[in-house]
Amino acid sequence: MTNRSEKEKMIAGELYFSADPELIADRKFAHEQMNLINQEKEDEIRSQLVKETFGYVENRAHIEPNIRFDYGFNISVGKNFYANYDCVFLDVCPITFGDNCMLAPNVKLYTASHPLHPVKRNSGLENGAPITVGNNVWIGGDAVLIPGVSLGDNVVVGAGSVVTKSFPENVVIAGNPARIIKTIDLENEPQDLLAIQREEIDQLDWQIAFLLEKRMTAVAEVSRIKKEANLDVLDGKREERVLENVRQAVANEQYEETILETFKAIMANSRAYQKKQRENE
């Protein structure tokens, strides 16, 4: 039978030697990546570094500095992942997040553990157990999840909680040790949720209208410069570049086509405005 590597034992949650040369090299690389991520000022570049370091990122992970992890390759996150400042992931075993998960500052997830017997512990042997987090989970500031914990979909973890066991979906948990303090009734809140979403959309519409007005001000100035230079209103190559930039900016592929069509309409209306201005002068 082929002997398994210490790395394979570690990921499986078995006893392993952390001083194994392969694991030392993996941790060194992880620390180099961690430093790059934490020092990077640009969100887009930091997101790309995270994607290159983690085991799996569904679309884009937004992580505030400073993040801490052991290996990185044992961390998997679903769509729209967000971690606030100073979160810690001890990922000797897999840490798996579903979609739309949010972590407040100083959240700590520990898959790493040690033998209880002092002789084994002093020998350098270590072990761990995976942590699994479902979809739409919100973990409050300074919360701690210990090895082997699983959280179901829609769980909310109160700030400062210590989660020592697994919990099912649709519950609010808090305390040390954490316990269920409330059940989330999804059936009886659709109207409230609809009102909240509509209010958010209204606020976004105000912001979009403000930005569109600023864009039209810039368009009017471009129109004036084009007229003085005797240039055509339509600049096809420029519009292609605009659409490509928009395509690169869209994180959720499901929205890409709709957003691109929206920008095509914006540019068509901008051209119509420029032509009308020229006709009226």
Side-chain angles (χ1 to χ4, degrees), residues 50-51 53-59 61 63 72-79 81 89 91 93-99 101 103 109 131-134:
V50 169
K51 200 166 188 176
T53 306
F54 282 10
Y56 178 77
V57 176
E58 176 67 19
N59 54 0
I63 294 177
F73 57 70
N74 274 330
I75 305 172
S76 299
V77 302
K79 299 176 183 177
F81 180 80
F89 303 83
D91 63 319
C93 287
I95 298 176
T96 306
F97 291 91
D99 296 339
C101 290
L103 276 60
L109 295 96
I131 292 175
T132 304
V133 178

Side-chain angles (χ1 to χ4, degrees), residues 58-60 77-82 97-103 133-139 154-155 252 255:
E58 176 67 19
N59 54 0
R60 181 181 299 177
V77 302
K79 299 176 183 177
N80 307 318
F81 180 80
Y82 176 78
F97 291 91
D99 296 339
N100 306 310
C101 290
M102 299 191 302
L103 276 60
V133 178
N135 300 314
N136 310 310
V137 172
W138 173 23
I139 303 178
N154 310 316
V155 169
N252 192 327
Y255 305 151

Side-chain angles (χ1 to χ4, degrees), residues 102-115:
M102 299 191 302
L103 276 60
N106 298 309
V107 169
K108 299 172 178 64
L109 295 96
Y110 302 148
T111 69
S113 187
H114 300 273

